Amino acid sequence: MPTVEIPVEKWSGKIHEVRLGGQGRKEVVVGGENTLPFLHFEGSIPNPPVLAVEVLDRDPRDWAEPLLQAWGDVLKNPAAWAKKAVEVGANLIALRLKTAHPEEGNTGAEEAKRVVSSVLEAVDVPLIVLGPEVAEKDNEVLVAASEAGRGQKLALGNCEEKNYRTIGATCLADGHVAIGKTPIEINLAKQLNILLSDLGMSQDSLLMDPTTGALGYGLEYTYSVMERLRLAALGGDKMTSMPMICTVGEEAWRQKEAKTSEGVPDTWGPLAERALRWEEMTAISLLQSGANIIVLRHPSTVEKVQSAITRLMG
């Protein structure tokens, strides 16, 4: 029989490695691959994708019932919640400073320091700290979080065009990683990386949040933009070569399919099963498009998605 030669793509670029944690804390390394996701026959994937669990600085008031039942009383204490998340398999904790939002409590720097310090003391995995997504408040609480975690190599977000100077300078001063968040558009993501690099940040201290859509809510468009970012990076574009982080849990669990049990067709099935599938399918799809860090909410999803990563890396 004639020999069939399998076509193998040769790439000139690779994804930058970004390290989180260390200095006595567990270290997590993401990036470093020089091929498309899970195509092991084409190149090297030295670091598998990792999972973070989202933890709020207060008990959630608008989360779906399956989430509330899964976590129970730990939702009232961010440190206890983070410890439980590590027990169920989280590689990182994504602490969201929800109460800093002007309409959710308007807390400030002191509260941010207190909560960040308590979570850092409770767990030994790296910490992602996310602000309330209001630029002025993000500046206030992320600077405070940076001080509380100095030397722990946190990831701080969101760093956007409106506030990149403040967050970038803070990361430079305290040795942290900036999460550049942009609307779903390749050129905007690249431009923010250029601005942060011009500020003096090294490319191994940057993560990209391209903004993601959930299953049925823009997932296909998100997938295509992330895939284009990854293709550009592997083609040699260093300003698109940063690892990507996706807040899958937030996106999936705010959709009606993950929250509604009344007034929906019977064919949708029970809410508890349907909601988990929504998060799980969104996560696994975005892994295939190049996500390096997936932020989840439900403990069962952590187990399912980690199992998928293990098989894909096998």
Side-chain angles (χ1 to χ4, degrees), residues 3-25:
T3 301
V4 177
E5 183 176 348
I6 299 174
V8 176
E9 193 75 48
K10 300 294 184 182
W11 300 104
S12 60
K14 65 177 290 188
I15 308 305
H16 295 293
E17 280 194 340
V18 173
R19 297 176 181 273
L20 298 169
Q23 298 295 320
R25 185 168 299 279

Side-chain angles (χ1 to χ4, degrees), residues 86-97:
V86 173
E87 291 173 8
V88 301
N91 306 113
L92 311 98
I93 297 298
L95 175 63
R96 188 176 295 278
L97 301 175

Side-chain angles (χ1 to χ4, degrees), residues 3 23 35 52 63 83 99 140 196 202 212 216 259 276 283 285:
T3 301
Q23 298 295 320
T35 183
W63 279 20
K83 288 180 70 174
T99 62
E140 179 184 357
L196 286 164
S202 63
T212 54
K259 295 195 299 186
L276 265 65
S285 297

Side-chain angles (χ1 to χ4, degrees), residues 36-57:
L36 289 168
F38 311 114
L39 298 189
H40 302 280
F41 61 90
E42 282 194 347
S44 171
I45 306 174
N47 305 301
V50 295
L51 304 179
V53 165
E54 184 179 355
V55 170
L56 305 189
D57 61 349

Side-chain angles (χ1 to χ4, degrees), residues 21 42 44 55 111 141 154 203 223 244 261 275 284 288:
E42 282 194 347
S44 171
V55 170
E111 178 64 10
V141 297
L154 314 181
Q203 293 168 355
Y223 189 107
M244 290 186 281
S261 58
I284 292 174
Q288 299 281 2

Side-chain angles (χ1 to χ4, degrees), residues 4-296:
V4 177
E5 183 176 348
I6 299 174
V8 176
E9 193 75 48
K10 300 294 184 182
W11 300 104
S12 60
K14 65 177 290 188
I15 308 305
H16 295 293
E17 280 194 340
V18 173
R19 297 176 181 273
L20 298 169
Q23 298 295 320
R25 185 168 299 279
K26 287 181 179 177
E27 186 176 68
V28 168
V29 184
V30 293
E33 60 267 30
N34 62 359
T35 183
L36 289 168
F38 311 114
L39 298 189
H40 302 280
F41 61 90
E42 282 194 347
S44 171
I45 306 174
N47 305 301
V50 295
L51 304 179
V53 165
E54 184 179 355
V55 170
L56 305 189
D57 61 349
R58 66 137 196 249
D59 58 312
R61 299 173 184 174
D62 57 352
W63 279 20
E65 191 60 30
L67 281 172
L68 302 179
Q69 292 179 354
W71 292 107
D73 289 341
V74 298
L75 294 176
K76 300 175 182 177
N77 184 317
W81 188 351
K83 288 180 70 174
K84 184 67 173 178
V86 173
E87 291 173 8
V88 301
N91 306 113
L92 311 98
I93 297 298
L95 175 63
R96 188 176 295 278
L97 301 175
K98 185 82 169 177
T99 62
H101 194 287
E103 298 177 2
E104 300 284 350
N106 202 33
T107 58
E110 289 305 312
E111 178 64 10
K113 280 185 180 179
R114 184 192 68 79
V115 175
V116 169
S117 296
S118 70
V119 173
L120 284 170
E121 291 173 6
V123 298
D124 63 353
V125 299
L127 185 62
I128 300 165
V129 183
L130 303 172
E133 299 193 34
V134 176
E136 296 80 8
K137 294 299 291 187
D138 282 348
N139 288 352
E140 179 184 357
V141 297
L142 292 177
V143 169
S146 176
E147 294 173 359
R150 185 178 287 121
Q152 302 295 308
K153 208 164 184 65
L154 314 181
L156 301 180
N158 292 312
C159 180
E160 303 174 298
E161 189 175 3
K162 293 179 285 188
N163 67 348
Y164 78 91
R165 289 184 179 88
T166 299
I167 305 305
T170 298
C171 289
L172 279 170
D174 294 332
H176 299 311
V177 171
I179 301 173
K181 183 169 184 176
T182 51
I184 311 174
E185 211 280 323
I186 184 171
N187 291 315
L188 293 177
K190 179 176 178 177
Q191 179 62 25
L192 183 55
N193 288 335
I194 292 172
L195 292 172
L196 286 164
S197 297
D198 289 347
L199 194 65
M201 294 205 68
S202 63
Q203 293 168 355
D204 59 1
S205 293
L206 298 175
L207 295 171
M208 289 190 295
D209 181 349
T211 305
T212 54
L215 178 65
Y217 293 85
L219 177 64
E220 297 87 350
Y221 185 61
T222 300
Y223 189 107
S224 68
V225 169
M226 290 175 62
E227 189 174 53
R228 287 173 61 205
L229 281 166
R230 187 48 44 93
L231 287 168
L234 294 175
D237 187 343
K238 292 188 179 299
M239 287 298 113
T240 59
S241 298
M242 293 70 179
M244 290 186 281
I245 177 172
C246 297
T247 52
V248 167
E250 178 185 28
E251 294 297 328
W253 284 94
R254 70 181 178 184
Q255 312 307 337
K256 64 183 180 183
E257 288 85 352
K259 295 195 299 186
T260 305
S261 58
E262 298 180 0
V264 299
D266 292 340
T267 52
W268 282 24
L271 173 63
E273 181 178 343
R274 180 193 343 132
L276 265 65
R277 296 295 169 267
W278 222 260
E279 185 178 32
E280 180 185 334
M281 292 303 297
T282 301
I284 292 174
S285 297
L286 294 180
L287 285 171
Q288 299 281 2
S289 66
N292 299 91
I293 302 175
I294 295 284
V295 184
L296 299 171

